Amino acid sequence: VTEVRFRAEGGPSACGPTVATDVVVGPGVLARLEDLLLERLPRARRLLLVVDEGVAREDVAGRWPARWPAPWGREPGSLALVPAGEDAKTRDVHARLEDAVLARGITRDDAVVAVGGGAVLDVAGYAAATARRGVPWVAVPTSVVAQADAALGGKTAINHRRGKNLLGAFHAPVLVVADVSTLATLPMRDRVAGLAEVYKAGVAGDPLLREALASRGAAGDDAWWTDAVARALTVKARLVALDPRDESVRRRLNYGHTVGHALETALGNEAMRHGEAVAIGMGVAGRVALARGLVDDAFLEEQDRALVRLGLPVRVPDAAPLDRLMEGVSSDKKRRSGERHTMVLPTGSGLAIVEDVDEREIRVAIAERLERRAARGAAPGAAGEDR
Ligand SMILES: NC(=O)c1ccc[n+]([C@@H]2O[C@H](COP(=O)([O-])OP(=O)(O)OC[C@H]3O[C@@H](n4cnc5c(N)ncnc54)[C@H](O)[C@@H]3O)[C@@H](O)[C@H]2O)c1
Ligand SMILES: [Zn+2]
């Protein structure tokens, strides 16, 4: 299996106008982390390795084929363990990482290296943005969401009690090392959920990726993952270069996220993974687009078929009360004004940001995509796309 390498220009940065991100995707690339890092930052002397506690374990990272961390990861003060998942995205952890950057004497020649899921990358990247007004950082994403989405683009953040990702900075990593063989230890459900973001990238700008997912599903070998992750990152890199600060075209990557976020909030992470919610959200957005004549039935059928084939849900679960969902849609931070909602809708040839979606259109689309309705309408052909 060959690896994929490319350079993403124009990432937003706290240290300068923009930064280039070297991206390396492939099986076993983690074993070359140190070489890749010194290639990109030849003057690096000190590193701070920030590792997700959920992956540092013997039964997780201990099972990855690559030997790591490299020797420098074992120098005193060079390792900071952080809690797994959203528990990492707090002011406490952020402050502790800033302390560690200063204690370790990391300069602009050096780097913070973050290993783990998207949450750990978000907080480590944010500490790299704020300590010393910005030091370089390297992302070593180990979950599908982190590899295909979170690692690239420079959005770094922690959570606030008022909401997710409300404190943060734009600070792109100088290097992304996405080792797809690390995904083997990720629970199947999480691996599949992350594929929603891959499909989203396909709709946003890679028809071949969309076709591959629709026709082959998740083949799951190293070559397949390398291709899927690299293609998703390539699409994201293009949008980030055009719109580093997420003010225009980059927001197309919010496809499926308006209703997705509302579902996540209404049902909680145990009942519904982020990616699963996004898959359902793409279905609702697709239905809104269909009603507006932006796409035809065939588009939505193909999307449903592809997502189901990947193992993702596409129907709004009964358990999600419509009124609570609509509350979630209304408090979505992507909303711009009044009762009109901003939504990313498919157009057949890509995605468009539509600013005048009426609340009623969303309600109708959700009702149309309800699980109950699909079951009731199980007459031949009526819900055929669900299988
Ligand atoms: N900055 C961005 O552009 C961006 C984009 C998408 C998501 N995000 C953020 O990323 C987070 C979600 O990322 P996530 O889905 O990776 O979840 P996560 O970071 O919460 O990780 C989920 C769990 O998977 C574990 N894990 C990670 N890799 C593993 C592996 N290889 N084997 C076994 N377990 C592993 C982690 O320890 C954690 O317990 C959210 O906080 C979200 O806001 C950021
Ligand atoms: Zn997402």
Side-chain angles (χ1 to χ4, degrees):
V1 179
T2 49
E3 64 190 46
V4 177
R5 287 182 79 146
F6 67 94
R7 171 165 278 208
E9 302 283 353
S13 174
C15 316
T18 61
V19 69
T21 305
D22 282 347
V23 179
V24 186
V25 185
V29 291
L30 182 55
R32 300 205 329 275
L33 176 60
E34 190 171 13
D35 292 344
L36 292 167
L37 199 147
L38 288 171
E39 231 175 84
R40 182 66 177 82
L41 297 172
R43 290 189 306 216
R45 291 293 166 270
R46 293 188 200 86
L47 299 157
L48 177 70
L49 193 64
V50 179
V51 185
D52 186 323
E53 270 174 4
V55 313
R57 298 162 17 182
E58 203 35 54
D59 60 334
V60 179
R63 287 170 45 209
W64 296 345
R67 288 260 148 267
W68 79 285
W72 43 261
R74 291 187 212 99
E75 286 172 26
S78 69
L79 182 70
L81 283 177
V82 294
E86 295 301 305
D87 288 349
K89 294 174 64 168
T90 66
R91 282 177 162 158
D92 276 356
V93 173
H94 176 245
R96 187 156 64 74
L97 293 178
E98 287 176 328
D99 291 348
V101 169
L102 300 182
R104 181 85 179 115
I106 304 283
T107 70
R108 286 196 180 178
D109 288 336
D110 306 314
V112 172
V113 181
V115 184
V120 168
L121 268 44
D122 273 6
V123 67
Y126 183 36
T130 53
R132 306 188 135 223
R133 298 197 191 91
V135 296
W137 74 288
V138 172
V140 182
T142 62
S143 70
V144 178
V145 170
Q147 294 194 352
D149 191 355
L152 192 73
K155 280 204 212 171
T156 71
I158 57 174
N159 302 327
H160 186 271
R161 64 184 131 68
R162 288 179 178 275
K164 270 197 75 176
N165 298 328
L166 289 182
L167 302 170
F170 282 105
H171 188 41
V174 295
L175 173 67
V176 173
V177 178
D179 185 339
V180 295
S181 43
T182 65
L183 301 177
T185 52
L186 199 67
M188 178 61 111
R189 183 172 175 191
D190 296 294
R191 239 182 305 164
V192 168
L195 286 170
E197 306 282 9
V198 175
Y199 189 82
K200 173 196 80 178
V203 181
D206 187 345
L208 285 179
L209 174 57
R210 233 177 78 201
E211 260 173 46
L213 296 178
S215 65
R216 280 184 286 143
D221 58 14
D222 282 345
W224 188 89
W225 280 108
T226 300
D227 187 53
V229 168
R231 281 177 178 275
L233 288 179
T234 303
V235 169
K236 184 164 182 180
R238 209 157 58 221
L239 293 171
V240 169
L242 290 168
D243 174 22
R245 283 177 190 264
D246 203 20
E247 293 156 337
S248 57
V249 288
R250 182 174 174 177
R251 289 203 271 134
R252 288 180 197 158
L253 295 173
N254 292 331
Y255 181 42
H257 282 62
T258 301
V259 170
H261 283 146
L263 271 167
E264 271 181 288
T265 311
L267 298 176
N269 182 258
E270 265 323 295
M272 175 131 319
R273 297 288 192 272
H274 174 71
E276 293 166 357
V278 169
I280 296 167
M282 289 191 284
V284 174
R287 192 65 189 69
V288 171
L290 180 65
R292 287 186 164 224
L294 290 172
V295 295
D296 54 14
D297 283 312
F299 172 89
L300 200 53
E301 274 163 30
E302 184 212 287
Q303 175 172 289
D304 282 345
R305 202 176 324 115
L307 293 171
V308 168
R309 188 141 194 194
L310 293 172
L312 288 160
V314 295
R315 291 283 173 183
V316 179
D318 269 347
L322 188 56
D323 286 329
R324 284 212 40 213
L325 274 187
M326 289 315 297
E327 260 170 51
V329 167
S330 297
S331 62
D332 191 279
K333 64 176 185 257
K334 273 130 212 147
R335 191 177 68 124
R336 283 288 168 270
S337 65
E339 48 174 15
R340 297 271 153 169
H341 299 270
T342 298
M343 230 177 149
V344 180
L345 300 181
T347 62
S349 60
L351 291 167
I353 297 160
V354 177
E355 302 200 329
D356 68 339
V357 180
D358 194 278
E359 180 164 329
R360 256 173 320 154
E361 293 178 75
I362 305 176
R363 270 183 188 274
V364 169
I366 289 176
E368 198 58 50
R369 305 283 300 176
L370 270 184
E371 224 160 38
R372 203 180 329 136
R373 188 185 174 94
R376 251 196 286 121
E385 75 271 25
D386 275 357
R387 281 171 293 272

